Amino acid sequence: MKRIVILASGSGSNAENIITYFRKRKQIEVSAVLTNKNTAQVLERCKRLKVPALYFNKAAFSDTTTILDFLVSQKPDLVVLAGFLWKIPKNLVAAFPNKIVNIHPALLPKYGGKGMYGSKVHKAVKENGETETGITIHFVNEHYDEGAIIYQAKTSIIAKDTAEQIAEKVHALEYEHFPVVLEKLLLKNG
Ligand code: GRF
């Protein structure tokens, strides 16, 4: 059985989608979900889905090895960032080379970098009059949104789309592709 640990900061709809996708399959499971926000909706989802969930604060993440030690103990084949907003510290990146994967709600390298997350991305896409947007699934390195790109999918934007409608289109792409891309990554080497 291959193992995924998910890190999420907010609603966790992608986390839930990944958990339920792999429950229907035999070779991969989500063994735990970690969050940096003790009020995040992802915690309720994990309770309902009966997936172990753990909250941690900034010190545990960045100043101590608490989270690093926990992750190492889980022996994950992939660490998946699904709406996780903190930068990944260097020691974590080094501990899991090419094993930390993020999803970004735009077509990187456009609309990436510090401060570019959630609705801010979709508002910027709208303001710039883009005719398409999409998702980028990429490996994580020490710089925000700069790791090697694994997969991108596009959706078109029409002039009357609001930022919220753009977000909905992007979420639909995330639900369709994120679990499938993770599955391919995990199963390609047997
Ligand atoms: C997603 O759009 C993801 O691409 C971005 O944050 C959002 C998280 O949504 N990084 P959710 O918490 O999975 O509902």
Side-chain angles (χ1 to χ4, degrees):
M1 183 70 96
K2 305 232 179 198
R3 295 154 76 84
I4 293 175
V5 175
I6 296 178
L7 272 65
S9 302
S11 157
S13 67
N14 276 284
E16 175 161 359
N17 183 50
I18 294 165
I19 291 164
T20 53
Y21 180 89
F22 288 115
R23 284 225 166 130
K24 297 184 198 120
R25 284 156 180 87
K26 293 201 167 27
Q27 292 150 292
I28 300 166
E29 67 170 3
V30 175
S31 62
V33 175
L34 273 60
T35 183
N36 60 317
K37 208 170 161 213
N38 59 7
T39 55
Q41 201 193 331
V42 71
L43 288 170
E44 285 149 45
R45 293 183 195 265
C46 288
K47 204 170 168 194
R48 172 165 47 78
L49 295 163
K50 301 192 171 36
V51 174
L54 185 76
Y55 158 74
F56 58 84
N57 61 21
K58 192 90 185 171
F61 194 55
S62 304
D63 306 339
T64 72
T65 60
T66 311
I67 293 306
L68 174 65
D69 295 343
F70 176 80
L71 283 172
V72 169
S73 77
Q74 290 283 302
K75 298 192 173 56
D77 296 284
L78 280 183
V79 175
V80 173
L81 312 186
F84 183 68
L85 297 182
W86 285 354
K87 196 170 170 188
I88 302 298
K90 272 187 186 161
N91 61 354
L92 263 183
V93 176
F96 298 101
N98 284 340
K99 280 191 178 176
I100 310 179
V101 174
N102 181 44
I103 189 162
H104 187 79
L107 296 169
L108 291 174
K110 288 171 104 176
Y111 304 104
K114 195 167 168 35
M116 266 296 173
Y117 59 88
S119 61
K120 293 185 190 196
V121 173
H122 308 304
K123 280 181 190 149
V125 166
K126 169 77 188 164
E127 274 161 25
N128 286 341
E130 298 283 357
T131 56
E132 63 177 17
T133 186
I135 59 168
T136 303
I137 297 168
H138 65 96
F139 288 115
V140 169
N141 63 18
E142 329 60 277
H143 307 288
Y144 272 114
D145 301 328
E146 286 182 18
I149 291 174
I150 301 163
Y151 181 84
Q152 290 186 305
K154 292 179 183 174
T155 184
S156 56
I157 299 172
I158 51 172
K160 66 178 175 61
D161 278 341
T162 62
E164 291 73 27
Q165 286 166 325
I166 294 171
E168 275 172 32
K169 287 181 174 182
V170 169
H171 258 119
L173 282 183
E174 293 181 334
Y175 301 150
E176 182 185 349
H177 296 286
F178 202 11
V180 179
V181 171
L182 296 175
E183 185 174 34
K184 283 190 180 145
L185 261 184
L186 282 168
L187 300 183
K188 76 173 179 207
N189 297 323

